């Protein structure tokens, strides 16, 4: 098993009609600062849902909407699932991940068989054109002190477009965009890994000169196809920072140039630092 | 009461701890073809949630994620709510609207007090520049035969930008965008009405030469501020039609030029007609 699969593993503890309960162990390696990464939590939750929906022929997340309730910490967690509707082509499940102290994230997940969808592609969006990977600095090269607070950075390879990495040296571009090459260490992306990928980058507010924690309020991910193997391109952007919140849109393009995932989250804007 | 408020009215039937149940009557006036409009359903559900969250000081939808399970019809409906978490600044509720025959739409809704948010606005998105309203044809002028199948069109004023109305005469632009001026008949927009507004326009696939029903799989709406009174600008667009699905992004700009709502839905693409 890869470290990612190991990190999102769940164990079914009970099942009662359309309800089931799973045990998970949130891995400290996916921590950023005081909390566990939101995309990782989504993949843990998505892993539990897949256990329920796969026997019905719906193994893949098609759309998952998660509301983040309180910060998760490394350690034991429980995922409770409830099938809201099981149809011919889709199954919709309500799932909540909880730890001692209360619910952390609650989500609605509609699963389907991505392999069984029509193969038409009429996408008008364009894949971002990035410099070659050799010209994009890896986030794994961040200072050791910083990485101690964000062990998440060692869970994947992220090579950032140099045009939007100025924030790392105190010169944010102000355009509200971060993009780069992305892959897991030990295995290719799949639909569950896409749930992780859409929230793995630094908050796009870094590029607006707002360093600091940007807690997710809600994140919805559409998974539109099973990704081709190899490096993906991941792009985060925002256009509406207002009222103490911002939206963060994410696109994931696979190595074959297909837009395989889109997500949008609503997050709380970091407090402006006094410095 | 306006016809909109009348249409989304709910009556609390029972309450049991963190669970409550409401009765609603889905109004045939919000029908399109064989189903009831999805934005209207979202507003009915949102109306029930507001009953639960308002006493806690969280009267406004901040973000609502709805999964559409089966087509609703005019007539009686029931909304069941369950408070997942009640916090200081937000309350998150799981709500399901059901009719005889099963659940129609299930949603997670996080409510807050939009009036209490900070007043910073650093939006970089630009409000679409539309021609004056006198130059934009109203959808209420659609042929009477068509309006019989879509009484929804008489529930609001929508004046469509002539640059993206070619589909109405068999000449879709192919750009995947529909925008126009929007208002309710008898009252100004508010956060609940924005839940309706984000799904009130024709499917953006009309502009791609794909007439026909485009059933929503999931829709998430962010309500970012209470809208100023007057005409709003509503814009729908899509960039990723593939695999039998498409995403539809919606923006609602209020009369003061503020981006007050953003939504994204995943919908099933209409079948290509044989003609």
């Amino acid at each position: 098993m890869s470290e990612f699969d190991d990190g999102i593993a769940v164990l079914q503890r009970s099942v009662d009609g359309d309800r089931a309960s799973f045990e998970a162990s949130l891995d400290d390696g996916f921590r950023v600062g005081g909390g566990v990464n939101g995309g990782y939590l989504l993949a843990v939750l998505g892993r539990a849902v897949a256990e329920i929906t796969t026997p019905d022929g719906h193994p893949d997340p098609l759309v998952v909407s998660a509301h983040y309730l309180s910060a998760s910490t490394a350690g034991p967690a429980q995922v409770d699932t409830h099938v809201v509707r099981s149809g011919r082509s889709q199954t919709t499940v309500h799932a909540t991940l909880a730890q001692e102290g209360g619910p952390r994230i609650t989500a609605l997940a509609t699963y389907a068989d991505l392999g069984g969808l029509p193969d038409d592609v009429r996408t008008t969006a364009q894949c971002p054109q990035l410099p070659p990977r050799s010209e994009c600095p890896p986030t794994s090269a961040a200072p050791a002190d910083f990485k101690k607070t964000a062990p998440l950075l060692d869970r994947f390879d992220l090579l950032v477009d140099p045009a939007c990495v100025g924030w790392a040296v105190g010169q944010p571009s102000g355009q509200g965009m971060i993009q780069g090459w992305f892959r897991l260490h030990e295995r290719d992306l799949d639909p569950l890994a896409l749930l992780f990928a859409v929230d793995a980058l630094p908050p796009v507010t870094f590029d607006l000169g707002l360093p600091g924690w940007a807690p997710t309020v809600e994140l919805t991910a559409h998974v539109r196809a099973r990704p081709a193997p190899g490096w993906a391109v991941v792009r985060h952007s925002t256009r509406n920072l207002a009222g103490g919140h911002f939206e963060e849109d994410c696109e994931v393009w696979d190595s074959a140039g297909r837009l395989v995932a889109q997500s949008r989250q609503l997050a709380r804007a970091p407090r402006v630092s006094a410095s």
Side-chain angles (χ1 to χ4, degrees), chain A:
Chain A
M1 288 237 289
S2 73
E3 67 178 12
F4 178 73
D5 290 296
D6 206 35
I8 67 170
V10 297
L11 185 65
Q12 186 166 314
R13 300 304 288 181
S14 67
V15 59
D16 177 11
D18 53 8
R19 294 177 187 271
S21 185
F22 299 83
E23 204 171 83
S25 176
L26 304 185
D27 185 336
D28 188 64
F30 290 86
R31 182 171 50 82
V32 185
V36 174
N37 172 259
Y40 165 66
L41 293 175
L42 202 61
V44 171
L45 188 142
R47 175 71 259 164
V49 172
E51 292 292 313
I52 298 296
T53 59
T54 299
D56 289 335
H58 306 148
D60 304 310
L62 174 66
V63 50
V64 181
S65 322
H67 291 235
Y68 291 74
L69 308 170
S70 56
S72 300
T73 51
Q78 176 174 328
V79 181
D80 293 315
T81 61
H82 171 220
V83 177
V84 180
R85 182 168 184 270
S86 181
R88 189 182 51 80
S89 60
Q90 296 176 352
T91 301
T92 299
V93 177
H94 179 214
T96 300
L97 185 149
Q99 294 187 292
E100 201 170 334
R104 302 301 188 214
I105 157 178
T106 189
L108 290 167
T110 293
Y111 274 50
D113 174 11
L114 290 176
L117 296 180
D119 58 3
D120 61 302
V121 177
R122 290 178 58 175
T123 304
T124 56
Q126 300 284 321
C127 181
Q129 295 304 303
L130 269 63
R133 286 188 286 278
S134 58
E135 298 174 17
C136 297
T139 52
S140 59
D145 275 1
F146 182 73
K147 286 198 349 187
K148 262 187 224 163
T149 70
L152 175 72
L153 293 182
D154 281 327
R155 302 286 79 72
F156 48 77
D157 290 314
L158 173 63
L159 312 177
V160 185
D161 181 347
C164 43
V165 77
W167 49 265
V169 291
Q171 298 175 333
S173 83
Q175 65 184 332
M177 193 266 284
I178 297 179
Q179 62 186 11
W181 299 96
F182 181 92
R183 69 173 183 189
L184 294 180
H185 285 156
E186 299 156 322
R187 73 154 169 97
D188 282 310
L189 296 174
D190 66 2
L192 283 179
L194 289 175
L195 298 183
F196 172 53
V198 296
D199 195 35
L201 272 59
V204 71
T205 36
F206 281 19
D207 191 46
L208 294 175
L210 297 170
W213 197 37
T216 303
V217 177
E218 190 270 351
L219 187 154
T220 293
H222 303 176
V223 179
R224 301 294 298 276
R226 293 182 185 153
W231 287 90
V233 169
V234 181
R235 182 181 199 273
H236 279 198
S237 60
T238 187
R239 301 163 67 239
N240 192 16
L241 172 63
H245 292 78
F246 66 103
E247 103 286 23
E248 181 172 273
D249 281 359
C250 178
E251 296 177 2
V252 184
W253 298 78
D254 73 7
S255 62
R258 180 150 178 190
L259 181 47
V260 290
Q262 287 169 282
S263 75
R264 175 174 287 168
Q265 66 173 277
L266 182 69
R268 279 202 292 280
R271 299 236 166 74
V272 179
S273 69
S275 66

